[in-house]
Amino acid sequence: MNKEATIARPLQEHDYESQIAALRRDFEQLQDDVAKLGDELVEDAGERVKQFSEFASEKMKEKGETLREAGERGKNRAADEVRRHPFASVLGAASAGLALGALALWSQSGARP
């Protein structure tokens, strides 16, 4: 073959149109796959948020119950202490009340330390 014929027309002919069409189909399939993946990720994230919310709600109920029980125990201990030492309890409450009242009067009078 002569050199001019090879330059003007290559030995191998390429079917660029069919290759471009195949690339377009592949690209469209890739777009569909990415869209499906995005939908699945959104669905999965929603499910995980729902599961976490249920878990957190259950834990909050458990902690609330624990705090309620601790508060009940503290109240019972305070009531028992008042029953065992009624005079000291009344004296302590009165002292605290007087101290708070004096502090309130002092702060309203504008006195400076």
Side-chain angles (χ1 to χ4, degrees):
M1 265 196 170
N2 75 31
K3 193 174 184 179
E4 291 176 14
T6 305
I7 292 173
R9 185 169 193 119
L11 293 175
Q12 296 178 346
E13 291 188 24
H14 296 285
D15 185 12
Y16 293 118
E17 289 180 25
S18 66
Q19 290 176 352
I20 290 172
L23 284 173
R24 283 187 179 142
R25 285 190 304 273
D26 290 346
F27 184 69
E28 289 170 358
Q29 182 62 46
L30 180 61
Q31 285 178 321
D32 290 343
D33 290 347
V34 168
K36 288 177 186 175
L37 179 61
D39 292 342
E40 290 175 6
L41 285 173
V42 167
E43 185 178 323
D44 185 53
E47 183 63 30
R48 288 179 185 265
V49 166
K50 181 181 173 187
Q51 289 173 352
F52 177 76
S53 176
E54 291 170 355
F55 173 78
S57 176
E58 184 63 33
K59 287 295 177 186
M60 292 298 288
K61 287 178 186 175
E62 290 173 9
K63 292 294 181 186
E65 183 64 25
T66 301
L67 288 173
R68 188 193 64 72
E69 290 171 359
E72 190 69 30
R73 284 192 304 270
K75 181 186 83 168
N76 291 338
R77 274 185 280 183
D80 289 344
E81 197 64 29
V82 168
R83 280 189 212 101
R84 281 191 295 193
H85 308 288
F87 182 72
S89 298
V90 169
L91 185 61
S95 299
L98 287 173
L100 288 174
L103 183 62
L105 285 174
W106 179 69
S107 67
Q108 286 181 353
S109 69
R112 303 278 182 228

